[in-house]
Amino acid sequence: MWQYASRRLLLFIPTLFLATIMVFALFWIVPGDAAMMLLTGDEDGTGKVTTADIDKLREKMGLNRPIHIQYGAWVWDLMKGDMGTSLWYKNPIIDDLKERFPVTIELALLAILMAFVAAVPLGIISAVKQDTKIDYASRVFALIGIAMPSFWIGLLTIYALAYGLDWLPPLEYATITENPLLNLEQLFFPALALAFHDMAFTARVTRSAMLEVLREDYMRTARSKGLRERTVILRHALKNALLPVITISGYQFGRLLGGVIIIESIFVIPGIGLYLVDAIIHRDFIVLQGVVLLAAAVVLVLNLVIDMLYGILDPRIRYS
Amino acid sequence: MIDQDTLGASTPSNRGALLLTQTVRSTRWVVTFSRRKPLGAIGGIITVILFVVAILSPVIAPYDERDTHGDYVHAPPGSPGPEARFLLGTDALGRDVFSRLVVGARISLYVGVGSVLVGITAGFVLGIASTYAGGKIDMTFQRFVDALMALPGLIIALAIMAVLGPSLNNVIIAIVIGMLAPVVRTIRSQVLSLKELDYILAARAIGASSKRIVFWHIAPNCFATYLIMATYYLGFAIIIEASLSFLGVGSPPDVPSWGGMLTRASQEHLKTAPWVGIFPGLAIFVVVLGFNLLGDALRDVFDPKLRGRE
């Protein structure tokens, strides 16, 4: 296990390092640099600023240094927990993220929970009744969820709430510690809209994992022992099928993050997604850089944790 | 006997007959496919309709998609207009939603087909090249793919659009980079499994060069994977384009993209003019569903190993 864990960890470090290079390079190719943008508000420089002003700010921000020095300084600051100061909000980015990250995580976890509660039974039924009408119906249902763009689901949800129920989620955001009930009231429908997409995917994975397990020899053994069908499916099959479902869902967390951005901006939830969208509108590239890197880091760490857990739960993987 | 057939094919009368048999054969394939995979056939029909609408959009659209009709703001679906009925109503500027949707099909398809052609072809070439180079090159390249994989598709596309600025071709670049890593991974695993097969060993044994093996033995056998991925990623590209335009960084504002039609403006009037928000979303949904249904069916047909999975 130690050998496997260290091998996996050794892969993680260079990958994270490469991710920082990619994120840095992406914003380095921006036409016009941060100093110019900060002063002109537009990259083609239509505002009234002199080159001297820009040069002065460049000097202050360290943008006139060679590129590898800039990268080094950026990574060094990152390691000290300093992600720079937002161009638009004028706050240290790390402070904003500390405030907003828990909101996003809560929304994502709530959505994952909802998706699982709906998707796992759907996937089981679909697999047990393979190629029947129920199976077809649930597969089409899953495909519908995948094909619906999350912003449209969000819009329809708002429409249904406003028009059908004459109710809108409360506008002032309350954190879970301040007012748990109000917090849940606000996050319930956004999470539901988010879960719909994820549910479709999880149901498909559950179905295929169940189908694979149902073909195993030990399923026949369980049945021939005279166990009830329900016990066979829930205790023997599901237990083994659920592991790959949870891992694959974990790997899909990045995709969920994409949906979070859209749902947060529709429902105006002050998480990372709304932060990112606002940063794009105000061309705040320093925030953008920070959020993109944070997303990559979250995905990489999550993948590492999943692989470690998998190594513990399924010893076969350690030797492959 | 087979030789006679192929030899005879050069005479003009036989060439016609050959063409006919080929047409009959492909028609028969389509009929069998539709009978075995009814859902896939529905997906195929949706795809064909989308292509026809996109190509014929100037003919189908009753109005110019940019024409504003001041007297007809938020006209409900089916209400009479100055020239033709507003089939799906008008938006906040009095523009015909139906015409905008029809022209939008062209935009979606341009972005979808563009990113799939560039993205999957690039992923194909990179995947095969990396696997065939093997050793340290493959190892290093795959770490880059790992890092790129960690960046969620929509987030990387958003960041790239923020950097490049809104334009249709920039959207294609953003989508291509967003889809590259998973495509390279899929092709790589396909090539790795093909490499182990006996016929590759046989080709090598009779002295075929690496180049020959890659071009004539490996690449053609990845074609089914290419086709299946192309269908799925068409849907992916259309959703990402719509999401980017929805967030205001995708297509330029004057382009009637399906996602762009759903931006803030349509949200504000959701209660008074829901058709402005509902129809573009419906169009995206139906088209993406069509691609997914077709992709699933194609995968079942071309890839027997995966039959019954997912």
Side-chain angles (χ1 to χ4, degrees):
Chain A
M1 182 65 205
W2 282 116
Q3 207 192 348
Y4 167 76
S6 53
R7 204 163 23 140
R8 188 60 193 74
L9 201 63
L10 274 178
L11 267 177
F12 167 77
I13 295 163
T15 313
L16 187 64
F17 173 68
L18 282 176
T20 62
I21 290 186
M22 278 186 185
V23 173
F24 187 77
L26 176 67
F27 292 97
W28 180 60
I29 57 166
V30 179
D33 58 25
M36 218 153 105
M37 247 166 262
L38 202 58
L39 288 175
T40 58
D42 203 7
E43 88 264 32
D44 54 24
T46 39
K48 277 186 195 154
V49 271
T50 59
T51 21
D53 291 336
I54 296 178
D55 282 344
K56 223 166 100 190
L57 191 67
R58 253 184 215 149
E59 180 93 20
K60 205 178 124 203
M61 293 173 79
L63 291 171
N64 51 357
R65 292 173 296 174
I67 185 69
H68 59 279
I69 305 276
Q70 282 187 47
Y71 171 76
W74 181 62
V75 171
W76 181 244
D77 283 345
L78 278 178
M79 285 197 281
K80 288 189 295 185
D82 177 11
M83 300 179 85
T85 307
S86 152
L87 297 176
W88 175 256
Y89 296 98
K90 316 276 183 213
N91 279 342
I93 294 171
I94 192 84
D95 292 347
D96 283 347
L97 288 181
K98 266 184 202 153
E99 205 172 289
R100 287 162 176 267
F101 194 56
V103 179
T104 297
I105 291 298
E106 196 196 336
L107 180 65
L109 287 180
L110 202 60
I112 291 175
L113 189 73
M114 286 176 176
F116 253 82
V117 169
V120 170
L122 207 65
I124 295 173
I125 295 170
S126 205
V128 173
K129 310 258 180 207
Q130 194 192 357
D131 289 329
T132 60
K133 279 193 180 119
I134 303 176
D135 179 29
Y136 267 99
S138 84
R139 278 162 78 186
V140 170
F141 185 61
L143 274 177
I144 287 174
I146 290 176
M148 273 189 159
S150 29
F151 58 87
W152 196 50
I153 301 175
L155 278 182
L156 290 183
T157 312
I158 289 199
Y159 179 68
L161 290 177
Y163 203 66
L165 298 173
D166 215 5
W167 181 84
L168 277 175
L171 276 177
E172 258 332 282
Y173 183 80
T175 61
I176 192 157
T177 42
E178 279 166 22
N179 189 343
L181 215 65
L182 189 66
N183 175 269
L184 194 69
E185 201 181 322
Q186 276 162 331
L187 290 186
F188 183 81
F189 288 103
L192 197 67
L194 199 58
F196 194 62
H197 194 78
D198 202 40
M199 179 206 69
F201 182 79
T202 313
R204 272 168 80 104
V205 178
T206 310
R207 179 177 179 272
S208 68
M210 278 298 280
L211 281 178
E212 210 153 291
V213 171
L214 286 173
R215 286 187 199 130
E216 298 281 344
D217 288 340
Y218 61 79
M219 293 309 297
R220 205 179 313 128
T221 313
R223 286 208 178 92
S224 56
K225 278 199 300 194
L227 292 177
R228 275 185 312 167
E229 189 62 20
R230 221 181 61 174
T231 322
V232 174
I233 300 294
L234 294 183
R235 295 279 297 274
H236 293 241
L238 185 62
K239 221 171 167 183
N240 288 290
L242 222 47
L243 190 61
V245 175
I246 293 172
T247 20
I248 294 174
S249 303
Y251 288 135
Q252 287 293 317
F253 191 75
R255 221 171 62 162
L256 187 76
L257 277 183
V260 167
I261 293 175
I262 293 196
I263 292 295
E264 278 184 4
S265 72
I266 291 180
F267 287 88
V268 201
I269 296 165
I272 300 289
L274 193 61
Y275 193 49
L276 180 73
V277 173
D278 283 343
I280 290 172
I281 292 169
H282 300 300
R283 302 185 68 80
D284 189 340
F285 286 100
I286 300 186
V287 167
L288 201 54
Q289 199 173 35
V291 175
V292 174
L293 188 67
L294 178 73
V298 168
V299 170
L300 282 175
V301 169
L302 200 68
N303 286 359
L304 180 71
V305 172
I306 293 169
D307 283 355
M308 294 287 180
L309 284 178
Y310 217 122
I312 295 168
L313 292 173
D314 187 350
R316 282 172 301 182
I317 199 117
R318 291 179 222 161
Y319 304 104
S320 65
Chain B
M1 279 167 287
I2 294 162
D3 281 357
Q4 266 176 356
D5 271 1
T6 39
L7 281 175
S10 52
T11 63
S13 64
N14 274 13
R15 206 180 290 155
L18 194 73
L19 199 71
L20 190 73
T21 24
Q22 264 168 0
T23 322
V24 169
R25 205 173 289 159
S26 40
T27 319
R28 202 176 292 156
W29 188 85
V30 170
V31 170
T32 323
F33 175 81
S34 317
R35 199 171 298 152
R36 296 224 179 107
K37 298 277 164 199
L39 288 178
I42 294 174
I45 292 169
I46 294 173
T47 310
V48 171
I49 292 176
L50 176 71
F51 273 87
V52 171
V53 167
I55 292 165
L56 297 181
S57 62
V59 185
I60 298 174
Y63 290 98
D64 187 302
E65 79 279 4
R66 280 158 305 191
D67 275 357
T68 53
H69 306 272
D71 301 336
Y72 297 92
V73 168
H74 282 157
S79 55
E83 287 157 54
R85 271 181 190 280
F86 294 118
L87 264 184
L88 302 177
T90 60
D91 64 5
L93 297 172
R95 292 174 300 193
D96 183 31
V97 172
F98 178 69
S99 301
R100 287 175 72 73
L101 273 188
V102 168
V103 178
R106 196 174 255 211
I107 314 282
S108 284
L109 211 58
Y110 173 72
V111 170
V113 171
S115 9
V116 162
L117 279 183
V118 178
I120 302 200
T121 309
F124 213 73
V125 172
L126 289 173
I128 292 180
S130 165
T131 324
Y132 241 81
K136 275 183 187 141
I137 299 176
D138 186 39
M139 175 71 188
T140 318
F141 183 69
Q142 290 310 316
R143 296 291 74 74
F144 272 101
V145 175
D146 275 344
L148 195 57
M149 279 279 243
L151 297 164
L154 182 64
I155 293 183
I156 183 108
L158 263 173
I160 291 170
M161 287 313 293
V163 168
L164 297 180
S167 103
L168 279 186
N169 289 336
N170 287 349
V171 172
I172 293 183
I173 295 174
I175 295 173
V176 165
I177 296 178
M179 70 197 247
L180 202 55
V183 172
V184 169
R185 265 300 137 76
T186 315
I187 293 293
R188 187 173 176 274
S189 67
Q190 173 91 3
V191 174
L192 279 179
S193 67
L194 280 176
K195 237 174 147 178
E196 303 300 317
L197 294 184
D198 287 342
Y199 78 94
I200 298 293
L201 192 69
R204 194 165 297 260
I206 58 168
S209 64
S210 276
K211 205 163 89 185
R212 192 186 164 81
I213 290 176
V214 169
F215 278 109
W216 291 101
H217 300 281
I218 302 258
N221 279 294
C222 293
F223 181 71
T225 316
Y226 187 101
L227 198 66
I228 295 160
M229 277 204 293
T231 337
Y232 281 120
Y233 277 97
L234 264 175
F236 170 83
I238 287 178
I239 288 209
I240 298 281
E241 187 276 329
S243 307
L244 291 173
S245 303
F246 172 77
L247 292 172
V249 292
S251 316
D254 58 320
V255 173
S257 138
W258 288 346
M261 294 170 75
L262 286 163
T263 43
R264 288 263 144 69
S266 75
Q267 288 177 52
E268 277 157 24
H269 304 290
L270 208 56
K271 213 165 167 173
T272 45
W275 52 88
V276 182
I278 285 175
F279 292 121
L282 200 64
I284 299 168
F285 163 61
V286 170
V287 163
V288 176
L289 183 66
F291 286 141
N292 279 328
L293 289 174
L294 185 65
D296 272 10
L298 285 179
R299 191 188 47 186
D300 283 357
V301 172
F302 283 127
D303 205 342
K305 272 174 297 178
L306 291 170
R307 230 164 249 173
R309 287 224 209 152
E310 270 197 62

